[in-house]
Amino acid sequence: MGGTDIERLIALLARLPGLGPRSARRAALALLRQPQARMLPLAQAMEQAARSVRTCSSCGNLDTRDPCTICTDPGRDAGMVCVVETVGDLWALERAGVHRGVYQVLGGTLSALSGMGPDDLNVAPLLARIAQGGVHEVILALGATVDGATTAHWLQDRLAGSAVAVSRVGQGVPMGGALDVLDDGTLAAALMARRPA
Amino acid sequence: MGGTDIERLIALLARLPGLGPRSARRAALALLRQPQARMLPLAQAMEQAARSVRTCSSCGNLDTRDPCTICTDPGRDAGMVCVVETVGDLWALERAGVHRGVYQVLGGTLSALSGMGPDDLNVAPLLARIAQGGVHEVILALGATVDGATTAHWLQDRLAGSAVAVSRVGQGVPMGGALDVLDDGTLAAALMARRPA
């Protein structure tokens, strides 16, 4: 394949999610064709990000600042905390632009299979903020999976004693979704979540 | 999205072939979660490859050496030259381990649409090697496309005056392929390439 440097590059690219051995080779070739214009800028962006990006000690977001841009934004409602599993979920909500409060990134869900217990979840900053009386609503935006539901129930229990309003995001037919292609679980959730028209 | 460093990383990753905006975000998140274990090694592999990898002045392969490992391998038949369009094609043949000669990477095909003319093809080293009398067979392993066929015809014309045997790779039913899923062009080529059983 022309040198261990190329093989090493392909092997590391192939470990990225979404890339396999085949697409890693295509990506490596594209980079090798333009080392100055494409490969070095990407390498430098990676080094820069590895140096500058840290986990927000308040909410668990990834940012160049700690506390992060969202936590320190005076235009956002710090008393409304949206609990998500991952930073990817936070990014998705930010792209949608639908949440004007702040976040708490758990870093996963309770999961017997993967050995995630309550101590593994990044929930202490949220509990501390609640204890200080700065939170009025917690929105649980966890995945509609068994582990997501388990985690939501556990958090509801933990927050039951406080004066905080706890809500969960709605479940049902996704926007633009046709009923006949949806799974049974979604259809059941949509029927249970029915409202007066 | 938490900082321009992250946005810049995602934008550069999204330009890789095989990655779109969505998978670039997933890849960036995976790298950001393990900056020391994953992101820095990949960045360093890229810088190392950008520094060390060059185009072989003899065959057009990408390697840390010039002339490349294949051209300088005494175990290979330097008189049998396989002509391919891209380095990716060369890699594919090397993975298959089916060619024991050397290569000539054209860097593309003749193409009116993309404005590729004979002067844009890396063919001079092959002609020089032939003029020196060191080549006994040229195998045209070009794609079964209009541009590939045009380029093969043009090369056959260029080599017609020399004493070199020129062949083209066979066309037909791919190994493991069922006839009913093949396109008409492949079926026609397979029938024309029929041999006594």
Side-chain angles (χ1 to χ4, degrees):
Chain A
M1 296 277 257
T4 48
D5 286 349
I6 300 181
E7 276 160 34
R8 181 169 157 71
L9 175 63
I10 293 173
L12 286 170
L13 282 172
R15 287 171 51 197
L16 289 178
L19 286 181
R22 200 183 188 88
S23 42
R25 282 196 297 268
R26 281 182 59 217
L29 259 183
L31 291 171
L32 286 165
R33 279 205 198 97
Q34 297 176 282
Q36 300 300 322
R38 296 188 65 174
M39 190 137 65
L40 286 181
L42 181 53
Q44 281 149 14
M46 284 182 180
E47 280 185 359
Q48 172 66 20
R51 259 200 309 271
S52 71
V53 175
R54 60 212 72 199
T55 301
C56 173
S57 54
S58 174
C59 77
N61 187 18
L62 291 168
D63 199 344
T64 46
R65 292 206 258 162
D66 180 18
C68 75
T69 317
I70 293 173
C71 283
T72 53
D73 183 347
R76 303 186 75 122
D77 182 356
M80 187 158 67
V81 182
C82 182
V83 179
V84 293
E85 294 173 18
T86 66
V87 174
D89 297 337
L90 185 159
W91 287 358
L93 285 165
E94 283 301 290
R95 279 198 303 282
V98 289
H99 176 56
R100 54 187 190 78
V102 295
Y103 293 91
Q104 182 68 40
V105 181
L106 297 181
T109 55
L110 295 179
S111 167
L113 265 180
S114 50
M116 289 279 284
D119 294 341
D120 302 313
L121 298 183
N122 176 35
V123 77
L126 174 63
L127 300 177
R129 277 192 272 173
I130 291 173
Q132 286 161 19
V135 177
H136 58 84
E137 180 175 1
V138 169
I139 304 166
L140 302 178
L142 304 172
T145 60
V146 173
D147 288 343
T150 308
T151 310
H153 279 299
W154 172 79
L155 258 174
Q156 270 177 290
D157 277 354
R158 286 294 306 258
L159 304 178
S162 65
V164 174
V166 180
S167 59
R168 291 173 66 174
V169 290
Q171 286 183 12
V173 183
M175 211 54 74
L179 284 175
D180 61 351
V181 298
L182 288 176
D183 61 293
D184 299 351
T186 301
L187 288 176
L191 272 187
M192 287 208 288
R194 68 186 179 278
R195 299 180 187 192
Chain B
M1 296 278 257
T4 48
D5 287 348
I6 301 181
E7 275 160 34
R8 180 170 158 72
L9 175 63
I10 294 173
L12 286 170
L13 282 172
R15 286 171 52 196
L16 289 179
L19 286 181
R22 199 183 188 87
S23 42
R25 282 195 297 267
R26 282 181 59 217
L29 259 182
L31 291 170
L32 286 165
R33 279 207 197 94
Q34 297 175 283
Q36 300 299 321
R38 296 189 67 175
M39 190 136 64
L40 286 180
L42 181 53
Q44 281 149 15
M46 282 182 182
E47 280 186 358
Q48 172 66 22
R51 258 199 310 272
S52 71
V53 176
R54 61 212 71 199
T55 301
C56 172
S57 53
S58 176
C59 76
N61 187 16
L62 289 167
D63 199 345
T64 45
R65 292 206 259 162
D66 179 19
C68 74
T69 318
I70 293 174
C71 283
T72 53
D73 184 347
R76 303 186 75 122
D77 181 355
M80 187 159 65
V81 182
C82 183
V83 179
V84 293
E85 295 173 17
T86 66
V87 175
D89 297 336
L90 185 159
W91 286 359
L93 285 164
E94 283 301 289
R95 281 198 302 281
V98 288
H99 177 56
R100 53 184 192 76
V102 296
Y103 292 91
Q104 181 68 38
V105 181
L106 298 181
T109 55
L110 295 179
S111 168
L113 264 180
S114 50
M116 289 278 285
D119 294 342
D120 302 312
L121 298 183
N122 176 35
V123 77
L126 174 63
L127 299 177
R129 276 192 272 173
I130 290 173
Q132 285 161 21
V135 177
H136 58 84
E137 181 175 1
V138 170
I139 304 166
L140 303 178
L142 304 173
T145 60
V146 172
D147 288 342
T150 308
T151 309
H153 279 298
W154 172 79
L155 258 173
Q156 270 178 288
D157 277 353
R158 286 293 307 258
L159 305 177
S162 65
V164 174
V166 180
S167 59
R168 291 173 66 173
V169 290
Q171 287 183 10
V173 182
M175 211 54 74
L179 283 175
D180 62 350
V181 298
L182 288 177
D183 61 292
D184 298 351
T186 301
L187 289 175
L191 271 187
M192 286 208 289
R194 67 188 178 275
R195 299 180 185 192

